[in-house]
Amino acid sequence: MAGCSTDTDTSSAGGGGDFDFTAATPAGAVIPAESRQTAPAYAGELLDGTDFTSASVAGDIVVLNFWGSWCAPCRVESPEFQTVSADVAEAGVAFLGVAVRDQRQLAQAFVTDFAITYPSLFDPSGEVALAFRGFPANVVPTTILIDRDNRVAGVYVSAVTEEDLRAILQQLLEEAPPTTPTPSAPDD
């Protein structure tokens, strides 16, 4: 695995939803729709101090990227994620960073230095990662892709290239939108 890691114990990973991490997704690939598991709910405080809940991105494709200001691969990946984020912002794709094992001031400087405009949760203890049962919270960078139906479509436990990210998102964007009940017409 090409990433930054620490000796953080992941054995206490609890969480909600049906997702239970078993293995990383190959680069540039997505989990087949019929094999996807429901993503857990997650919430926290953004770097700007506002509250965030995963319900606010319901129906969107979500790129959940775990990073640290101290992580060299994150310094390569983050500007590429920003470029892709700007390109797909109007297509129903939400990017959310998760600053882990970091200090708020250093995380904010990282966001400023790399001109990152999408929000980042401040999660120094890794609670968001722990919501994804069995997820390897000690590997940074890691990216989790969540489809429009709130199912985990990919887990990448190393830096993701811009080319791979664009290919993955294109596959997810081409999938049918989430199924929502159609309101019935009133009887005449």
Side-chain angles (χ1 to χ4, degrees), residues 17-18 31 37-38 40 44 46-47 55 58 65 72 77 84 96 111 113 116 125-126 130 147 187:
D18 297 330
I31 297 168
Q37 300 171 33
T38 303
L46 297 174
L47 282 173
N65 178 247
E77 178 183 73
V84 175
L96 179 67
V111 167
D113 290 348
I116 305 300
S125 61
L130 293 176
D147 70 14
D187 292 334

Side-chain angles (χ1 to χ4, degrees), residues 1-182:
M1 286 187 242
C4 303
S5 64
T6 66
D7 293 331
T8 303
D9 177 22
T10 60
S11 62
S12 63
D18 297 330
F19 181 77
D20 194 10
F21 179 81
T22 55
T25 308
V30 296
I31 297 168
E34 64 276 4
S35 300
R36 295 178 191 164
Q37 300 171 33
T38 303
Y42 52 94
E45 183 179 309
L46 297 174
L47 282 173
D48 68 6
T50 59
D51 290 333
F52 175 88
T53 176
S54 57
S56 67
V57 292
D60 287 343
I61 295 168
V62 179
V63 178
L64 189 63
N65 178 247
F66 295 82
W67 61 272
S69 64
W70 41 266
C71 169
C74 299
R75 295 179 168 277
V76 173
E77 178 183 73
S78 292
E80 293 181 358
F81 275 39
Q82 173 58 40
T83 299
V84 175
S85 171
D87 290 347
V88 298
E90 300 298 318
V93 178
F95 277 67
L96 179 67
V98 183
V100 296
R101 296 184 310 276
D102 220 329
Q103 297 174 20
R104 186 180 296 270
Q105 183 177 3
L106 294 175
Q108 288 173 323
F110 180 93
V111 167
T112 300
D113 290 348
F114 290 105
I116 305 300
T117 60
Y118 55 84
S120 280
L121 287 165
F122 181 60
D123 191 29
S125 61
E127 290 181 33
V128 173
L130 293 176
F132 291 84
R133 288 189 309 262
F135 175 74
N138 62 332
V139 180
V140 176
T142 291
T143 302
I144 298 176
L145 271 286
I146 301 171
D147 70 14
R148 291 182 183 119
D149 289 318
N150 194 43
R151 299 172 303 167
V152 175
V155 179
Y156 309 93
V157 292
S158 63
V160 177
T161 66
E162 181 177 344
E163 180 181 353
D164 282 345
L165 182 59
R166 287 184 186 280
I168 295 161
L169 290 175
Q170 188 59 44
Q171 289 176 55
L172 294 176
L173 285 165
E174 289 172 357
E175 292 179 359
T179 53
T180 55
T182 305

